[in-house]
Amino acid sequence: MKYKSTRGEATGYTFEQAVLAGLAPNGGLFIPESIPKAPSDFLTKWASLSFQELALEVLSLYIDESEIPRNDLKDLVDRSYATFRHKDITPLHKIKDGLYILELFHGPTFAFKDVALQFVGNLFEYFLKRKNAGIENKADRHKITVVGATSGDTGSAAIYGLRNKQDLEVFILFPTGRVSPIQEAQMTTVLDKNVHNVSVGGTFDDCQDILKGLFANKTFTSKYNLGAVNSINWARILAQTVYYFHSYFTLLRSLDVVAGSEEANKIHITYSVPTGNFGDILAGYYAHQMGLPTSKLLVATNANDILYRFFNTGVCSKRGDGVVQETLSPAMDIVVSSNFERLLFYLARDVAVDASVPESEKDVQAGKIVEGWMVDLKQKGSFDTGSGVLAKAKEIFDAGHVSDEETVVTIRNYCFPEDPAQRYVMDPHTAVGVTAAQTVIPKTASPDTRNIVISLSTAHPAKFSDAVEKAVQGQEGVQFEQFFKDVTPKEFEGLMTAERRVTVIPRAEEALVIEVIDRELSN
């Protein structure tokens, strides 16, 4: 398996090259040269596998054994998920008939990013150990400087995946005052020498723009051998495809339905995914393309709804001045979703490239179209893909838009349901997904099928006390302090008062970030 850029021309990259580079030289994102199909018998062969066993099978389709021998890959997988608190890694929780929650927050930082970043951290370490085998002189050793931007959970997950690893430095940029207090504490209280937090005066989009600028700066990239942990890194998307397959087989087992049977074929699953940077739901798209039975992938957005509007109009357009709106679901407060470019490549190749173009040239033409769209978005604030691209996208995607008010109502309704068996405390991002799902269920109803929504829960509710408090306040006989204490994991005790280390820069300027990295790495 080789990898190529979404903007054409850059092709033939190995998995290791794609993972370590993060971003393609021409500014595109790495994608596999072709999406592999799951084995023809996977519905029966994979049906009873554990998460780790399933991960090994899925990842092996994208990673040549000549790059990472199967035994080594198995060890990487086992070590990555040994840090999770739940035996099923990503358990499926039934709330009520037809609605399930896929809990992705049982890793070290209580967020879905752990599923990928525990694996990515071990990958970086594996590649470096192999490069540095037999090299004793510290100055001659290969090193990686990982730089990431976070709207909340990526930062802490990356830090916990990379902390104290030899020959690795990690710098995390986060927007000042725009992550939750717990998220900031999880990042800044990690005092390992190779961890550097940078609080940036601006928005997540500003941080992401700086990140892209750093990777486009060939001199700087070469000097520090930059590596990426944001979901622009292909390994992040790949690792996340596993829990779509795992949730499907877990669901069938819970229903006592045999995978591949006629009864299984009547089950139509919609995955509702709270969406910011488009990486989580993109993993679902890859799983679907590999053969996973999927009815719809529901893009659930908050007030920053550029993706919702795209999937209704085919136009990708920033609102007004393009300023990010602050919401109760801050990890989704994003205007430009980086991973959306990966989907656009496939849509462009399938629809926008003229049918007369030879097959051998379609990738290049699709890359040029995508690059044009990205330039228009940056310079003009919008681009129109046309009705054909929209129709193709809507074959598998749907979209929902959820306000803060609706988010609070959903959290409250499941905290205090009429049926106590349905009680479930969820974070605001999960609530966005559940709310959107509730609007889609009636549209997908059919007497001949069994319609089920699996809504992805991306973070533990204790990470977002403000939203939960808004939902709980005013409830008769409920004291929020005690309610929240009962919800909060013991791992969070003392976190808010622990020693911190962070560098603050007042403005979102690439030069200021470069100054910080230069200074820290010269010490």
Side-chain angles (χ1 to χ4, degrees), residues 6 29-31 35 234 237 275 277-279 281-286 288-289 297 299 307 310-311 337-352 366 370 373-374 383 385 389-390 392-398:
T6 52
L29 306 183
F30 285 113
I31 55 176
I35 301 175
W234 164 249
I237 307 302
T275 303
N277 222 14
F278 206 74
I281 198 164
L282 182 69
Y285 172 78
Y286 278 104
H288 172 72
Q289 294 298 104
L297 295 169
V299 178
L307 293 171
F310 170 82
F311 285 108
S337 303
S338 290
N339 274 293
F340 191 46
E341 181 171 330
R342 285 185 163 112
L343 176 65
L344 288 173
F345 174 86
Y346 295 112
L347 296 175
R349 196 184 192 286
D350 289 346
V351 180
V370 170
W373 286 340
M374 294 297 99
F383 62 86
T385 60
V389 168
L390 176 62
K392 183 67 177 177
K394 289 182 75 67
E395 288 178 7
I396 182 62
F397 287 97
D398 205 339

Side-chain angles (χ1 to χ4, degrees), residues 98-99 266-269 295 441 444-447 449-453:
L99 179 61
K266 291 181 179 180
I267 296 175
H268 286 196
I269 299 176
S295 178
I441 292 172
T444 60
S446 168
T449 59
R450 187 172 184 178
N451 296 286
I452 290 175
V453 171

Side-chain angles (χ1 to χ4, degrees), residues 74-267:
K74 181 180 184 302
D75 178 64
L76 286 168
V77 167
D78 289 344
R79 286 195 292 115
S80 297
Y81 301 114
T83 60
F84 280 64
R85 296 178 301 281
H86 198 286
K87 63 180 179 61
D88 294 331
I89 312 302
T90 57
L92 193 65
H93 181 90
K94 181 180 179 180
I95 290 189
K96 60 183 180 181
D97 287 346
L99 179 61
Y100 291 75
I101 296 289
L102 179 58
E103 294 184 341
L104 305 177
F105 52 74
H106 292 281
T109 70
F110 296 80
F112 83 98
K113 309 291 178 74
D114 289 322
V115 178
L117 285 168
Q118 285 292 300
F119 177 66
V120 171
N122 286 323
L123 266 183
F124 277 131
E125 183 179 48
Y126 177 84
F127 290 141
L128 279 174
K129 280 185 176 180
R130 189 161 64 185
K131 286 177 178 291
N132 288 325
I135 302 176
E136 299 297 334
N137 187 348
K138 186 176 180 180
D140 294 333
R141 293 177 67 84
H142 295 274
K143 299 178 179 64
I144 295 176
T145 301
V146 171
V147 185
T150 185
S151 56
D153 286 329
T154 291
S156 56
I159 287 168
Y160 277 67
L162 296 169
R163 63 189 300 183
N164 204 31
K165 290 192 183 295
Q166 188 177 12
D167 300 316
L168 273 165
E169 300 285 337
V170 55
F171 289 81
I172 297 297
L173 316 179
F174 66 90
T176 304
R178 290 176 179 258
V179 299
S180 80
I182 285 288
Q183 287 175 319
E184 182 169 343
Q186 282 186 310
M187 291 185 284
T188 58
T189 57
V190 177
L191 305 180
D192 299 64
K193 290 183 178 180
N194 73 323
V195 172
H196 314 272
N197 284 286
V198 184
S199 180
V200 179
T203 67
F204 170 72
D205 283 299
D206 294 328
C207 294
Q208 193 159 243
D209 284 343
I210 291 172
L211 182 67
K212 291 178 180 178
L214 293 177
F215 277 90
N217 184 332
K218 293 183 179 179
T219 301
F220 186 79
T221 300
S222 176
K223 179 181 179 181
Y224 291 119
N225 194 21
L226 295 193
V229 287
N230 279 72
S231 52
I232 60 173
N233 192 308
W234 164 249
R236 283 271 308 269
I237 307 302
L238 175 57
Q240 290 171 204
T241 62
V242 177
Y243 49 68
Y244 284 91
F245 284 97
H246 188 252
S247 66
Y248 176 74
F249 292 122
T250 301
L251 174 68
L252 294 189
R253 289 195 297 268
S254 73
L255 298 174
D256 200 22
V257 172
V258 177
S261 66
E262 184 176 344
E263 187 178 3
N265 294 336
K266 291 181 179 180
I267 296 175

Side-chain angles (χ1 to χ4, degrees), residues 100 102 104 112 240 243-244 247 269-285 294 296-302 307-308 311 332 396-402 428-437 440 453-458:
Y100 291 75
L102 179 58
L104 305 177
F112 83 98
Q240 290 171 204
Y243 49 68
Y244 284 91
S247 66
I269 299 176
T270 293
Y271 284 95
S272 184
V273 187
T275 303
N277 222 14
F278 206 74
D280 206 1
I281 198 164
L282 182 69
Y285 172 78
T294 314
K296 283 288 183 182
L297 295 169
L298 176 61
V299 178
T301 71
N302 60 19
L307 293 171
Y308 167 76
F311 285 108
M332 298 160 59
I396 182 62
F397 287 97
D398 205 339
H401 165 275
V402 179
H429 307 82
T430 303
V432 169
V434 169
T435 306
V440 168
V453 171
I454 296 178
S455 189
L456 275 58
S457 181
T458 56

